[in-house]
Amino acid sequence: DAMVIQNPRYQVTQFGKPVTLSCSQTLNHNVMYWYQQKSSQAPKLLFHYYDKDFNNEADTPDNFQSRRPNTSFCFLDIRSPGLGDAAMYLCATSPGQFTDTQYFGPGTRLTVL
Amino acid sequence: TQLLEQSPQFLSIQEGENLTVYCNSSSVFSSLQWYRQEPGEGPVLLVTVVTGGEVKKLKRLTFQFGDARKDSSLHITAAQPGDTGLYLCAGGRSSNTGKLIFGQGTTLQVKP
């Protein structure tokens, strides 16, 4: 089945220690998104890629970076995680091209010690 | 800034009761998505509505898109404990990038 996969599902890191989260998709969608979600809140968009074009949300901290080496994969790098970065990180994809529906992965729960 | 106001934020009901969740905006959307999210998992798409006045049914769930495409509702009939979760509405503007505006979410707890 076509899907969005996130690894790892749970990640524990230490304060200030860089961490990378990964996302892959078999949907062949043009657009990939990274969201941060804190408990019982709506997801907050960090950035998205339309194909190789990177788009940063205005309020996304510089501590967060992203890479999309090819259509299928996208990475979220947190350069120096703080306690406030502990959250669920969600990857989503969309065909783009004026189709609004997004399909989410299962998420990575990040704990910062 | 586009806003999508979702209400109520929290709902705790007994099994068998009915409930309605609302999403309202002053802006027009080209589509409205509803997602359900269980603890520790990603949001799962329930439905997409695109036509003003459209009504879609998914078993005990009924979704409606307002005539002016500014609001939407989700009605659950005879709620069950398995309906427990976070319900999210999200509006789309039919852009090239598919970005969505999310409501604040409704946490639903259905007690047996």
Side-chain angles (χ1 to χ4, degrees):
Chain A
D1 287 342
M3 55 198 307
V4 182
I5 301 162
Q6 289 189 245
N7 286 304
R9 292 295 313 277
Y10 302 92
Q11 176 73 58
V12 180
T13 190
Q14 292 181 334
F15 183 95
K17 185 174 181 181
V19 67
T20 295
L21 311 181
S22 72
C23 177
S24 64
Q25 54 130 340
T26 61
L27 298 161
N28 202 32
H29 283 171
N30 288 322
V31 194
M32 295 186 77
Y33 312 83
W34 278 106
Y35 289 89
Q36 180 192 68
Q37 186 182 32
K38 299 198 174 179
S39 183
S40 296
Q41 296 179 18
K44 179 180 180 299
L45 184 64
L46 297 173
F47 22 61
H48 73 275
Y49 278 91
Y50 182 84
D51 197 10
K52 293 183 179 179
D53 292 335
F54 175 74
N55 295 272
N56 202 28
E57 294 301 298
D59 57 354
T60 298
D62 292 340
N63 198 26
F64 292 87
Q65 304 284 318
S66 184
R67 297 168 283 135
R68 189 179 185 186
N70 55 54
T71 301
S72 300
F73 286 87
C74 198
F75 299 96
L76 171 62
D77 301 308
I78 308 177
R79 293 193 295 187
S80 182
L83 298 178
D85 297 327
M88 173 75 93
Y89 289 88
L90 296 166
C91 174
T93 73
S94 171
Q97 298 180 342
F98 309 101
T99 300
D100 296 328
T101 303
Q102 293 183 16
Y103 300 88
F104 285 84
T108 295
R109 168 70 65 187
L110 177 67
T111 300
V112 182
L113 301 177
Chain B
T1 303
Q2 289 179 282
L3 287 177
L4 201 50
E5 299 287 339
Q6 189 172 341
S7 64
Q9 281 192 278
F10 301 97
L11 198 52
S12 181
I13 60 173
Q14 292 295 133
E15 182 176 2
E17 292 183 14
N18 301 332
L19 67 116
T20 303
V21 179
Y22 299 93
C23 268
N24 296 293
S25 176
S26 57
S27 301
V28 176
F29 290 100
S30 59
S31 70
L32 211 296
Q33 275 68 230
W34 285 92
Y35 294 87
R36 179 169 66 214
Q37 185 176 20
E38 296 186 12
E41 299 294 330
V44 174
L45 179 69
L46 296 174
V47 78
T48 298
V49 285
V50 297
T51 305
E54 182 176 5
V55 177
K56 282 191 174 179
K57 292 192 175 185
L58 184 65
K59 296 182 181 178
R60 294 175 293 100
L61 279 60
T62 302
F63 305 86
Q64 186 163 6
F65 202 11
D67 291 340
R69 291 185 289 136
K70 293 181 179 181
D71 55 86
S72 182
S73 63
L74 157 61
H75 182 79
I76 302 179
T77 304
Q80 298 177 0
D83 296 327
T84 293
L86 177 68
Y87 288 81
L88 295 160
C89 63
R93 294 298 304 274
S94 192
S95 70
N96 197 32
T97 61
K99 285 177 69 173
L100 296 175
I101 305 296
F102 279 88
Q104 302 96 318
T106 296
T107 299
L108 172 65
Q109 180 187 41
V110 182
K111 301 174 193 174

